[in-house]
Amino acid sequence: MIEVRESQTAAFLKSKILETLAEYNVSVERLFSVTCDNGANMVAAVKQLKSEIELQFFEETVDEESIADVEPGRDISEELSTEFYERVNLVRCAVHTLQLAILDVVNKSHESVKNLTNIAKKCKNVKYKTNFDHHGASLPPVWSQTRWCGIFKMIESFKTQRNFFEQLASQFTELDISSHWDFINSYHDAFRPLYICTKKMQETHVSLSDFYMAWLMATSEIKKVKNNPFVASILTSLNKRLATLRESRAFKMALFLDPRFNYRGSTVFTAVEKEEIQGFIMDTWKRIHDLESPSSLNAANDTSSELGCIDEFDDYFTAMFGGSLDTDQYPNESNFLQQMQSIGLESRQNHSYNVWDHWLRRKSTHPELYAVAMVVLATPSNQVSVERAFSALSLVLSNLRTGLAEDTLANILLIKLNKDLFQQAVSSLYNWKDVENVNQQN
């Protein structure tokens, strides 16, 4: 988390992202996806990051000799730009998109919302406090533009305390909301599934396919609401917004690798789409393979040298029975393709099936697909973690701690936001038996 004072243009955001990656020694080529809100500046910044990767790839792979061999008039940079345009996958925040779908139907300009908001503000007046305290009632929350489902929470407060507010209105006519009860009931019934869906999205990590399942469950619940003036508009908005989310290459890969969506007889994808997604998966695997650290490659080479006797036996075995060992740099593409195609031949799993465990069990039998699945499943579907980080910042950077240095604040947040990982890291930093022996000697 960094403090910025300049105008947050796409170019500025891209430069800050690259600076942050450099600080943690992460090359831009290692970016698989960027999850951001639907703001035009963020979307444009991701597109500029894509261009950054395209430029680096171009510089690394095209030398003078290869350029000399290019046919006259052929724009190789444009071809490479097209081929590697999706090397960084733009993932629009699912929760933010869901809130936009809600506001497409009812927003702050709705007459009932404005009137109920004014009543909620009036309720804070001290002259009503005795009534709220006497009946054990809670103040209706005044919603904020930056709070998800704020309008729903305010309306739910009125609905669940209807008897109290009717009694209150009989004493204070300025708090009368009798003309809005039909709106309150209709809004609550129609939008409650979307509120529940939003709460599900606020878990520690929600993968792209888990988000899609939650979205579909919410849609299913909305369809059960009969004779409601908002249902038709909500469903139209949800379908429109979902179409934008499904354009993401990462989203398509996530559904393809999820046996709840890709199974024998599934119609989630057409045959043409499946072939396209299989190409995405193969490209991703090749990126993973190419980005393996030199240390891991050296370790593999060291292991091979230690097992020289096995290599000699392989030669002996080949002399006896023929054939040859597979030494290709990449997995046999035909075998890899068969494994990807076989995914769609498996049985369908129920909506609560654990996809993480599904691929963990296939780590040894489908190593290439497993590697891709771990990347795709790790792709966050929303920015809830960012909102959680802002909340943590407000607790750390209080009015009494405004003198914290920037580095100190960054380190505190790093530990606070990654406390589970930090506990694991600390346990492996020392040989605790040695530490205990030193303490005993002292």
Side-chain angles (χ1 to χ4, degrees), residues 369-426:
L369 283 176
Y370 164 81
V372 176
M374 291 298 101
V375 172
V376 174
L377 291 175
T379 302
S381 63
N382 57 62
Q383 288 186 294
V384 171
S385 60
V386 177
E387 304 299 331
R388 196 174 287 122
F390 284 134
S391 297
L393 176 64
S394 66
L395 295 175
V396 174
L397 193 61
S398 65
N399 293 334
L400 300 176
R401 307 182 74 186
T402 55
L404 284 174
E406 185 176 337
D407 290 346
T408 302
L409 179 61
N411 290 332
I412 293 173
L413 281 176
L414 184 66
I415 295 174
K416 188 174 183 64
L417 297 173
N418 299 278
K419 57 183 179 181
D420 294 339
L421 296 177
F422 182 73
Q423 290 171 355
Q424 297 175 20
V426 169

Side-chain angles (χ1 to χ4, degrees), residues 107-108 113 117 141-147 149-152 154:
N107 56 37
K108 65 179 182 179
V113 172
T117 303
V142 178
W143 63 277
S144 167
Q145 195 103 17
T146 59
R147 296 288 180 92
C149 295
I151 295 176
F152 177 86
M154 178 185 70

